[in-house]
Amino acid sequence: MTSVQGTAVDIPTEDGISDAYLARPGDGLPRPGVLLYQDAYGLRPHLKSMADRLAGAGYTVLVPNVFYRHGRAPVFELPDFIDTAARPQLWDAIGPVLQSLTPELATRDAPAYLRALSDRPETADGPVAVTGYCMGARLALFTAGAYPDRVAAAAGFHGGRLATDAPDSPHLAAEHITAELYFGHADDDPSLPTEQIDRFDAALTAAGVRHRCEVYGGAHHGFTQADTSEYDRVADERHWAALLDLLKRTF
């Protein structure tokens, strides 16, 4: 890993200002850009550490606060270690905010994030990659489908509700995607049952999308998030290997 610099930045969107975190190698040279979409807990120290790890591998990484309409990060009062079983009231606050970020709003915000990343002098010319976690996996799909000329690769990990019966289900973006995809699913995840996993893979295959989807055996939803009770170190390291392999093939 190289040295890393992290900076707080503000991103103008159609509906306001999204605060964000930018991480890049300390040498200041232009590097391929990666847009990192948060999980439901939002922009916080752990996500910044994930961005730093990616930057240390040679990328310029932007993590926007996608809940900016509800305030600057942290939008929620979070403990240092998140155990949702012990703090169910936390989801009383998160749930309405999460539901308010509709696919329409997420797709409307994405150009601002892509532009903010691509316009940075630390970002190399050309398309970028997108990776997302939990709800961020859905956002990665929406972004790759809506802006195929700007996304070269997209990844998602322990994503939920990827292939529902809803008319705006994320898997329906498959026909518009030109990026290569990698998705790592949690084995024990009520938000993504087997039938959705199968439907998701079938949609990508039918659309001719280059992709690889894997189920991480024994891993719970949230397995990459080291500041939560769902964290799984083995599955997390598998995620890093898969993500970096995708980025290496892309750039």
Side-chain angles (χ1 to χ4, degrees):
M1 285 184 62
T2 63
S3 63
V4 170
Q5 293 182 353
T7 308
V9 297
D10 283 346
I11 303 171
T13 76
E14 291 188 29
D15 296 329
I17 300 293
S18 170
D19 50 311
Y21 178 73
L22 181 81
R24 70 278 193 196
D27 58 17
L29 296 176
R31 303 298 182 97
V34 179
L35 176 61
L36 192 159
Y37 279 127
Q38 65 179 61
D39 64 355
Y41 299 125
L43 180 56
R44 62 193 191 281
H46 174 63
L47 286 187
K48 293 178 181 180
S49 72
M50 294 180 72
D52 289 346
R53 181 165 175 172
L54 268 180
Y59 302 95
T60 297
V61 187
L62 182 69
V63 191
N65 168 23
V66 303
F67 292 153
Y68 69 88
R69 292 176 180 85
H70 299 270
R72 298 179 70 87
V75 175
F76 312 111
E77 185 176 344
L78 299 171
D80 292 336
F81 182 78
I82 303 167
D83 183 349
T84 53
R87 294 172 61 93
Q89 70 275 17
L90 182 58
W91 274 96
D92 293 338
I94 293 175
V97 175
L98 178 61
Q99 294 299 319
S100 73
L101 185 63
T102 63
E104 179 185 3
L105 289 179
T107 303
R108 190 161 81 202
D109 289 339
Y113 304 148
L114 292 168
R115 184 170 54 251
L117 177 58
S118 296
D119 286 353
R120 297 290 306 192
E122 304 93 342
T123 304
D125 293 338
V128 303
V130 183
T131 185
Y133 301 85
C134 181
M135 58 166 279
R138 299 198 301 276
L139 301 184
L141 281 170
F142 289 135
T143 302
Y147 307 98
D149 59 325
R150 302 174 71 175
V151 179
F157 298 91
H158 48 80
R161 306 198 321 275
L162 297 179
T164 70
D165 295 325
D168 56 1
S169 176
H171 77 289
L172 299 177
E175 63 180 308
H176 305 293
I177 292 174
T178 59
E180 180 178 351
L181 304 188
Y182 177 89
F183 274 72
H185 305 308
D187 184 33
D188 183 9
D189 191 347
S191 70
L192 193 72
T194 301
E195 58 267 25
Q196 284 198 42
I197 292 176
D198 293 342
R199 184 185 299 158
F200 180 61
D201 188 73
L204 297 179
T205 300
V209 177
R210 293 168 296 154
H211 72 283
R212 183 178 180 186
C213 296
E214 297 182 311
V215 176
Y216 288 26
H220 298 277
H221 181 83
F223 59 77
T224 64
Q225 303 302 297
D227 60 348
T228 76
S229 54
E230 288 81 15
Y231 180 67
D232 183 316
R233 183 182 60 80
V234 173
D236 183 33
E237 288 306 314
R238 180 178 174 183
H239 132 262
W240 280 112
L243 176 58
L244 292 173
D245 181 62
L246 174 66
L247 296 178
K248 184 177 179 180
R249 292 199 306 275
T250 302
F251 300 114

